[in-house]
Amino acid sequence: TARAALNLSREELANVSGVGSATIARIEDGKDFKMSIFLKLAKAMPSIKFTDTDTGFVMEYKEMPSEADYLAAMGPCGK
């Protein structure tokens, strides 16, 4: 899971996201969840992806770098 890839326990993710650890466990077991839960989790993690195993529907969120970070990574222009 995205949570495990970040070395977060369910309890740690629950603390930073405001989503209960039991709810996180149900989501990881493939149970339905509300969009508001997805948004809370998305704000707490740099990237998150859910795939509905019945329909194949995928919801994915990836944190975008700030404009300053993006410009710094690009380096000086015109060289």
Side-chain angles (χ1 to χ4, degrees):
T1 66
R3 174 190 58 77
L6 293 171
N7 293 318
L8 289 173
S9 69
R10 285 184 182 145
E11 292 74 23
E12 290 169 327
L13 181 54
N15 287 335
V16 297
S17 68
V19 175
S21 59
T23 300
I24 293 169
R26 285 193 302 274
I27 292 169
E28 290 178 344
D29 288 339
K31 306 292 188 234
D32 288 338
F33 57 92
K34 296 179 182 178
M35 180 60 77
S36 60
I37 299 295
F38 176 80
L39 294 174
K40 284 182 179 182
L41 293 171
K43 288 178 183 178
M45 298 172 54
S47 67
I48 192 167
K49 181 177 180 177
F50 291 104
T51 303
D52 184 313
T53 54
D54 293 331
T55 65
F57 178 76
V58 175
M59 274 195 301
E60 186 170 9
Y61 168 84
K62 289 186 180 178
E63 184 176 74
M64 299 299 291
S66 71
E67 182 178 358
D69 290 341
Y70 177 77
L71 292 174
M74 295 298 293
C77 294
K79 290 190 175 186

